Amino acid sequence: MSFTSTALTGILTSESVHAVELPMATWAYGLVALIIFALLAFVTASYRDVANRHRAKAEAYAARHGGDEHGGH
């Protein structure tokens, strides 16, 4: 056997693989992800319909700029 095959055999054996215990249960990772996504969904939903909260400002802007929202020439 060559040195390379001997070294690879030593690396790939199950004796050199060490199991690492997770800091929490596997289902808890899913729960944490679900909570994070729920919080992000709540933040996103909180911006819904923000433009209509300031109707007076929007109407004043439209009157000042002739209703052209995109600044076209």
Side-chain angles (χ1 to χ4, degrees):
M1 241 191 224
S2 70
F3 174 74
T4 307
S5 63
T6 305
L8 286 176
T9 305
I11 291 173
L12 299 176
T13 60
S14 62
E15 295 172 348
S16 64
V17 177
H18 300 285
V20 177
E21 185 139 351
L22 296 174
M24 59 184 168
T26 54
W27 60 267
Y29 287 100
L31 182 64
V32 168
L34 185 67
I35 291 170
I36 289 171
F37 283 124
L39 288 174
L40 291 173
F42 175 75
V43 169
T44 301
S46 70
Y47 282 96
R48 182 178 179 187
D49 210 25
V50 171
N52 288 334
R53 295 180 191 164
H54 307 288
R55 183 171 289 158
K57 286 184 179 181
E59 289 171 355
Y61 180 85
R64 198 171 45 237
H65 297 289
D68 185 15
E69 298 176 7
H70 299 290
H73 296 280

